[in-house]
Amino acid sequence: MTPEHWRLRRANDRLIGFKCRSCGWVSFPERRKTCKRCRAAPAQFEEIQLSPYGKVLSYVIQQRLPEEFESPLAVAVIELEEGARLYGHLVETSAEELHVGLEVEADYRVMYRDEGLNVYSYKFAPRRNVAHDPAD
Amino acid sequence: MIGIQGYGVYIPRQRIKLGEINGAWGRSGGRGELAVATRDEDVVTLGLKSAQQALAAANIPADKLGAVYVASVSSGYMESTVAGQIGYALGVAGDVSIADFGLSTRGVTSALRACADAIACGRIEYGLVVGSDRLIARPGSTYELSCAAGAAAILLGRESTGTLAELEESAAYSGSCLGRYRAEGQFRGTTDERFVMEHSYLDQLAGVVEQLSRRDEQTSWDHVVLHAPELKWARRALKLLKLKPESLVSSLGQIGYAGCASFLIDLALALEQARPDEIILAISYGPGGSEAFTWQVKCAPGLERPASAQSQLEPGENISYPTYLRYNGLYAQQPGGQT
Ligand SMILES: [Zn+2]
């Protein structure tokens, strides 16, 4: 069976989102059949290059997780510069610095391991003015 | 002429102090610290970050790249491609040469040579050479006190106004195959490090400098980068080669040893420390041979740039020994299990 991460490879590696043609909602990294916001079905999505920069709109900190995850793990709704909103894991973010409005940047990481193969995508880290330009 | 058009360095922020490692094993003392990658980093993610910085610093888009060469001795794969993964994530397209160099830390200069040759013959305009390693030692071993993680990337291209340093001369020396080795799924094999240093390392470094002197009359260099898994190896080599101790540029004392990456991180540090017209000598080492390059500095990047190599050597977040083991996947899976 084809692993789903192969189909999502381009989106995951190059920070490409799928924007709903009727309402503008952006899905990342999944490519969906229906729009989560306007319920268009089947929705028409166009690919867009997402900005690596955004800010935290809300977050939760998960304290207890299975051992394959690092805990505590902060998961946030992040609004990217072009307005796309997505769920993202936060990395290298201390509890003290985490707040609504925190400026973050996309940070390429291992998401999980599938039969010994590392599968990558973007998580988010506090913006530290490091030169960064995915898929320029 | 071929020159360094840009570079990028990525050193993980987490550090473990040697005293913390020693303490865990009932030993005392130990100065210095090691850069440690987290659980969700590997040679691809480390290398990609250095590569993105190199392109951004040079303001060269990824679709201008004609080659992406990656050197690593710790990808962990017997079959896969780190260079392909990094190239794809960078956004390279079309007629691009992609290659992985590994198995010996000499690979990093094999990659540099291949890239420089491709530019010299006019086949490509720009090429990226990445060194990325995350070395993991057997807990409790002496290797554990030096193995670290990091990555650096060098963008090569034809000399232009923005060139940081121009490639002057290069030479190679094939030596013995003595040195570190590791079978699939193993930590390091048993190696008499002192024997390797005296009969392989010092022999090869002297040999390659001798080769270089046949092409280049230069006998003193302003900055010297020497591949060395430990500082004492570098000091022995400097003495043997009659080089000024203060000319050595090394990140070993601050972040530890990260294989192929260390060589390029130190080259980046040398660029940041250099002034125009100074000469940098950089010598690689690995089982099987050494290569030497001399670079003439054109316009030194200085320390002002964002994410400079120097700034990333600063102490980061200190982690405990249990966290270090968890990050490196080193907890035993069964009682008494060999990790
Ligand atoms: Zn919609």
Side-chain angles (χ1 to χ4, degrees):
Chain A
M1 205 179 86
T2 312
E4 183 63 7
H5 61 79
W6 280 9
R7 299 189 199 281
L8 294 170
R9 186 74 183 258
R10 218 166 75 79
N12 271 325
D13 276 4
R14 296 184 175 173
L15 203 58
I16 288 166
F18 304 97
K19 186 178 186 180
C20 171
R21 285 220 163 110
S22 27
C23 77
W25 180 74
V26 175
S27 177
F28 172 86
E30 307 97 323
R31 184 200 294 270
R32 294 167 177 276
K33 290 205 171 60
T34 57
C35 175
K36 211 171 164 183
R37 186 199 279 161
C38 74
R39 307 282 167 201
Q44 290 209 313
F45 286 107
E46 60 183 322
E47 290 190 0
I48 55 163
Q49 177 66 58
L50 301 173
S51 158
Y53 303 115
K55 61 175 196 280
V56 169
L57 290 187
S58 70
Y59 62 89
V60 291
I61 298 175
Q62 303 187 36
Q63 298 290 351
R64 289 176 203 281
L65 291 162
E67 65 186 37
E68 56 266 35
F69 294 93
E70 276 294 306
S71 53
L73 172 70
V75 182
V77 175
I78 289 154
E79 184 171 69
L80 297 180
E81 278 177 348
E82 69 280 341
R85 288 179 181 192
L86 47 89
Y87 288 103
H89 288 193
L90 294 179
V91 294
E92 311 214 353
T93 311
S94 66
E96 299 81 62
E97 69 185 318
L98 179 53
H99 63 273
V100 170
L102 177 70
E103 298 222 23
V104 294
E105 63 184 347
D107 192 319
Y108 192 72
R109 298 276 172 151
V110 177
M111 292 304 281
Y112 60 94
R113 293 181 171 83
D114 183 17
E115 308 255 346
L117 182 71
N118 286 351
V119 179
Y120 309 92
S121 187
Y122 282 90
K123 298 182 180 179
F124 290 85
R127 198 166 166 177
R128 301 190 209 272
N129 292 318
V130 172
H132 184 102
D133 221 349
D136 188 354
Chain B
M1 289 295 273
I2 291 153
I4 297 175
Q5 308 297 336
Y7 69 94
V9 169
Y10 182 78
I11 298 167
R13 291 172 61 231
Q14 293 72 28
R15 299 283 188 278
I16 187 158
K17 290 187 184 294
L18 296 189
E20 170 75 12
I21 297 176
N22 279 333
W25 291 95
R27 302 180 300 240
S28 60
R31 271 188 312 163
E33 47 193 41
L34 307 173
V36 184
T38 53
R39 270 171 93 180
D40 58 2
E41 293 179 297
D42 67 4
V43 296
V44 172
T45 68
L46 300 173
L48 175 65
K49 284 171 187 164
S50 69
Q52 286 170 334
Q53 282 179 34
L55 294 180
N59 202 20
I60 299 291
D63 59 15
K64 288 248 183 184
L65 290 176
V68 177
Y69 295 153
V70 179
S72 178
V73 292
S74 59
S75 81
Y77 290 117
M78 295 302 290
E79 183 170 0
S80 189
T81 167
V82 175
Q85 176 76 40
I86 289 176
Y88 186 78
L90 280 174
V92 300
D95 185 6
V96 182
S97 168
I98 301 274
D100 288 277
F101 294 73
L103 300 179
S104 165
T105 45
R106 179 194 183 173
V108 67
T109 48
S110 306
L112 270 175
R113 280 199 146 202
C115 189
D117 287 349
I119 296 165
C121 75
R123 190 168 60 76
I124 66 171
E125 193 180 357
Y126 292 102
L128 196 60
V129 176
V130 180
S132 182
D133 264 311
R134 175 191 211 168
L135 301 182
I136 296 176
R138 180 191 294 280
S141 67
T142 51
Y143 292 124
E144 192 179 31
L145 298 171
S146 59
C147 286
I154 298 285
L155 177 70
L156 294 182
R158 280 203 174 276
E159 201 193 341
S160 64
T161 50
T163 298
L164 301 175
E166 177 188 295
L167 177 58
E168 293 268 287
E169 202 51 81
S170 72
Y173 177 79
S174 290
S176 75
C177 296
L178 291 172
R180 292 184 173 187
Y181 66 95
R182 187 163 23 110
E184 185 183 1
Q186 275 191 345
F187 291 112
R188 300 221 168 270
T190 308
T191 307
D192 180 342
E193 292 278 303
R194 196 188 168 91
F195 190 88
V196 168
M197 175 171 67
E198 286 173 359
H199 296 276
S200 171
Y201 181 74
L202 295 176
D203 170 66
Q204 284 183 195
L205 264 59
V208 78
V209 169
E210 154 78 20
Q211 293 297 322
L212 188 69
S213 69
R214 294 183 188 184
R215 300 182 184 183
D216 190 345
E217 289 162 5
Q218 195 107 20
T219 53
S220 83
W221 296 274
D222 302 291
H223 306 274
V224 177
V225 170
L226 292 178
H227 179 98
E230 291 182 51
L231 264 180
K232 65 183 176 201
W233 290 41
R235 293 202 184 103
R236 281 284 302 271
L238 287 170
K239 207 169 160 188
L240 176 74
L241 300 172
K242 297 187 174 62
L243 301 173
K244 288 174 291 194
E246 64 273 18
S247 62
L248 181 71
V249 180
S250 173
S251 54
L252 276 173
Q254 283 138 300
I255 59 162
Y257 171 62
C260 296
S262 289
F263 181 85
L264 296 184
I265 290 170
D266 292 349
L267 181 55
L269 282 171
L271 288 170
E272 289 175 2
Q273 292 172 13
R275 288 188 297 263
D277 295 329
E278 286 187 331
I279 307 283
I280 298 168
L281 168 67
I283 308 177
S284 70
Y285 161 79
S290 281
E291 275 150 316
F293 290 81
T294 55
W295 306 90
Q296 183 175 36
V297 178
K298 292 290 170 189
C299 81
L303 297 169
E304 302 307 311
R305 61 169 266 161
S308 68
Q310 187 65 43
S311 69
Q312 294 187 69
L313 297 185
E314 298 296 316
E317 180 199 340
N318 285 317
I319 60 171
S320 66
Y321 191 67
T323 299
Y324 164 86
L325 291 180
R326 194 172 74 247
Y327 282 179
N328 284 329
L330 289 172
Y331 269 124
Q333 298 297 304
Q334 43 192 305
Q338 284 287 56
T339 49

